[in-house]
Amino acid sequence: MKPQTPAGLPAKAWETVCTYVQDEGLRRHILAVAAAMRWYATELGYDPDTWEAVGLLHDFDWEIHPNLNEHPTQGAPILRAAGWDEAIIRTILSHYTAGTGVERRDPIDFALLACDEITGLIIAVTLVRPSRDVREVALSSVRKKWKDSRFAGGVDRAHVAEVTEDFSQACFGGELALWTHIGNVLVAMQGAAATLDLDGRLA
Ligand SMILES: [Fe+2]
Ligand SMILES: [Fe+2]
């Protein structure tokens, strides 16, 4: 697995990820969020490299800080020492306000939280298919599994709906429907199928 954009900020972010994250599942989650972030940056007219880098870095310390007392608070000094921009660090801290006290403020903050958890459901839906190819996953299949609360039970559907509504208000004048958003994340992940190893190679 490697990032979609093998140069610039995403490449530098991926180096950090590879230093701190060995688990394949966590790498896939990180890359999926990065793909969704890049998609939304393009859609909204922001810098795709910065948004992709934030997606890549947001959980870089989960393996060394695998609890919400430490993550992402204690990851921030590591990023600071590595020379990462304070704006990027602030966005990362804002994906867990309860632990960091950092509120979402900018479009990139709202996008990050809205893209975070839902990737987990899409990955899970892909991995139960024999083809293990995200390009074959229909939105209707994701919707079916969304309704089955025992499937990928760690994905808090109510929280996803809530942070999507926040993203919609902040960046789409309240016009981004939940299933439009999930469809967008699915499209972004389909575009990154090879990056995610979800292009059938695991079948
Ligand atoms: Fe996180
Ligand atoms: Fe995450």
Side-chain angles (χ1 to χ4, degrees), residues 29 57-62 68 71-72 89-98 100 102-104 109 112-113 116 159:
H29 165 69
L57 289 173
H58 85 285
D59 278 343
F60 91 95
D61 68 326
W62 182 253
L68 290 169
H71 164 78
I89 296 170
R90 203 198 58 78
T91 294
I92 291 167
L93 289 172
S94 82
H95 92 276
Y96 186 58
T97 304
T100 63
V102 178
E103 302 275 355
R104 283 164 292 162
D109 308 342
L112 177 59
L113 202 52
D116 192 356
H159 187 248

Side-chain angles (χ1 to χ4, degrees), residues 18-38:
C18 291
T19 302
Y20 293 97
V21 179
Q22 306 314 318
D23 181 75
E24 202 171 88
L26 181 53
R27 283 191 180 189
R28 181 173 293 115
H29 165 69
I30 279 170
L31 286 164
V33 174
M37 289 295 281
R38 188 170 187 90

